[in-house]
Amino acid sequence: VASHETIELHVNGTIAHVRVDPETPLIYVLRNDLQLKGARFGCGVGMCGACTVLVDGRAVESCDVPTGSVAGRSITTIEGLARENELHPLQEAFLEEQAGQCGYCLSGILMATVALLEADASPSEAAIREALDGHLCRCGAHARILRAICRVAAAGQLAHG
Ligand code: FES
Ligand code: FES
């Protein structure tokens, strides 16, 4: 029988309290309780990357993370990427390269790439491919996505690091 608890979540620099079963996958709480709809629900079993967010700077699949396990930890979603009116350099590069079609995969890919670039501001193309290996893009926009990321990586440009 599910028992609900009050859980403190630190999301995008703000503190929220939610009352949920601690086993609830984080993506449901982000989307339904906190109205952060950027993380997308794809497969629901940790296989597509659409739901990726950062927890303490690491990319995790939020469909596969119990909300109770991230209480008090620093969670960043795509909504927390831009600062005031300034897009993150990766978002700018994705726009410039028109990297995407329907966009469903993009928030997960962006978050995974942020984690990669924070660990290594100038990763090789091979390292980028490896980091994004688990991210599906059903539109086949991979080439443009890779071009956008390589543009930022080549510049060693991570302004918000
Ligand atoms: S929805 Fe989480 S990995 Fe697919
Ligand atoms: S742009 Fe449509 S799934 Fe990637």
Side-chain angles (χ1 to χ4, degrees):
V1 179
S3 61
H4 287 200
E5 291 175 15
T6 299
I7 296 172
E8 181 173 301
L9 294 176
H10 297 196
V11 185
N12 301 335
T14 62
I15 295 179
H17 293 92
V18 292
R19 197 155 172 79
V20 295
D21 176 351
E23 291 302 315
T24 307
L26 178 61
I27 188 167
Y28 293 129
V29 173
L30 292 174
R31 292 182 56 90
N32 300 336
D33 295 78
L34 302 183
Q35 301 304 315
L36 295 169
K37 306 282 190 186
R40 301 287 163 72
F41 188 91
C43 64
V45 291
M47 298 292 287
C48 76
C51 64
T52 301
V53 300
L54 304 185
V55 175
D56 294 336
R58 270 194 53 232
V60 302
E61 282 138 355
S62 62
C63 71
D64 211 16
V65 171
T67 299
S69 73
V70 295
R73 293 168 67 188
S74 175
I75 301 166
T76 308
T77 69
I78 188 80
E79 289 88 349
L81 212 52
R83 296 289 153 89
E84 287 158 18
N85 291 324
E86 191 190 339
L87 289 177
H88 188 282
L90 266 177
Q91 291 171 309
E92 294 279 11
F94 272 61
L95 278 176
E96 281 159 19
E97 295 290 349
Q98 291 289 292
Q101 193 165 312
C102 77
Y104 204 85
C105 65
L106 290 183
S107 59
I109 287 176
L110 282 162
M111 298 317 285
T113 307
V114 167
L116 172 70
L117 292 179
E118 285 185 354
D120 174 2
S122 297
S124 64
E125 187 177 319
I128 296 167
R129 284 177 183 273
E130 191 184 325
L132 296 181
D133 195 36
H135 290 258
L136 301 184
C137 173
R138 65 188 168 186
C139 297
H142 304 84
R144 282 174 285 151
I145 289 169
L146 194 60
R147 208 155 51 228
I149 298 170
C150 285
R151 174 195 279 246
V152 177
Q157 175 200 20
L158 196 65
H160 297 313

